[in-house]
Amino acid sequence: MAAAAGTLWPAMAVLIIPGAISMLILVRIWRSMGNPVVGGVEPDPIDTAAHSERRESLLSRLHGRLPRVFWLFAAASAAISAGLVTFAVISYHLTQDHVVGVAVVPLIYAAAMGAGSLAALGSGWLFDRTRGGALLGLPLIVSAVPVLAFASSPLVAIAGALLWGAAGGVLDSTIKALVADLVPAPRRATAYGVFAAVQGVAAVAGGVMAGALYERSLPILIAAVVATQIIALILLITTLRRRQKIRTEVTSGAS
């Protein structure tokens, strides 16, 4: 659409169609799903433990009545979000440095979204089989994005954009699955809202950082991204260890 019209706005206007369809589907789901908490599903061990006096007293001391391990994981996700450079900066590089033509950028973005879909499917499958361990590879992927995406070679830069899409796919989908394991069911809606807010603030801060550092020094930008991902990796490892410790305590208490 952008190439045919010679401008971007017709391509953006066409997006009204899938947007409207998605809203109709969401309304249909909302009307038919009922109360997601009620049902014959077996309670999660952590949910059961949440009703114990010890767990309740711990949650009562925390702001927002959310477990400490949740905030630890939210901090890890914030570090990942801040380090994932925005596509706006990537597309600026692609056009400003004449790596590709302007009309090619929407096609690269579409391909990146496709890579994100595949990455979400693959990471979700691995998440179920590694008990969240698959998330440990995400900081490594995020660290590699600026190295490739800001290259002068079109093929290398496009590979970086695809890697950016893959990282975004995992960040927007699979990483949120761990929230359900860390927070009792009655508080999960609040937890997901807080988690999204933390991610959003971190993404804005990371976008400002990426834009400012791109103008100053690309090596410094890459170093800053790597630093945030080292922090994220440490926080993720700590989160998974504490999660396993909680599950072990719950299992021991139940037996």
Side-chain angles (χ1 to χ4, degrees):
M1 290 293 295
T7 183
L8 289 178
W9 75 263
M12 303 299 292
V14 169
L15 296 180
I16 295 174
I17 298 174
I21 293 174
S22 67
M23 292 301 297
L24 292 175
I25 294 173
L26 285 172
V27 170
R28 176 65 181 274
I29 293 173
W30 172 66
R31 288 182 176 179
S32 62
M33 70 180 294
N35 187 350
V37 178
V38 178
V41 181
E42 289 293 328
D44 186 90
I46 294 182
D47 293 344
T48 304
H51 295 290
S52 68
E53 183 177 352
R54 182 179 66 84
R55 292 285 291 168
E56 286 297 331
S57 63
L58 173 61
L59 293 175
S60 298
R61 294 196 299 268
L62 299 175
H63 294 291
R65 297 177 62 82
L66 293 172
R68 189 187 305 274
V69 67
F70 164 80
W71 293 107
L72 189 66
F73 181 55
S77 177
I80 296 174
S81 299
L84 184 61
V85 295
T86 65
F87 191 80
V89 179
I90 294 175
S91 63
Y92 176 82
H93 165 75
L94 295 176
T95 55
Q96 184 72 12
D97 291 357
H98 306 288
V99 180
V100 298
V102 175
V104 179
V105 173
L107 299 180
I108 295 176
Y109 182 78
M113 293 298 97
S117 300
L118 295 176
L121 290 172
S123 62
W125 183 84
L126 287 174
F127 182 94
D128 290 337
R129 285 154 181 79
T130 61
R131 297 185 178 181
L135 297 178
L136 297 177
L138 186 55
L140 303 178
I141 297 175
V142 173
S143 297
V145 169
V147 177
L148 300 176
F150 294 133
S152 58
S153 168
L155 292 179
V156 176
I158 291 173
L162 295 178
L163 203 62
W164 171 87
V170 178
L171 194 60
D172 290 338
S173 60
T174 308
I175 199 169
K176 293 179 173 64
L178 192 57
V179 174
D181 284 349
L182 302 177
V183 180
R187 299 185 182 91
R188 281 179 188 159
T190 299
Y192 276 114
V194 172
F195 191 78
V198 171
Q199 277 191 318
V201 171
V204 171
V208 173
M209 177 191 73
L213 293 181
Y214 178 84
E215 293 183 346
R216 293 176 177 269
S217 172
L218 186 56
I220 294 179
L221 171 58
I222 294 174
V225 170
V226 171
T228 61
Q229 298 318 294
I230 292 175
I231 296 173
L233 185 59
I234 294 172
L235 292 173
L236 277 176
I237 293 174
T238 306
T239 298
L240 294 176
R241 286 180 176 176
R242 291 194 179 183
R243 173 190 179 228
Q244 184 59 39
K245 181 180 178 181
I246 291 174
R247 287 186 171 275
T248 302
E249 291 177 351
V250 170
T251 304
S252 300
S255 59

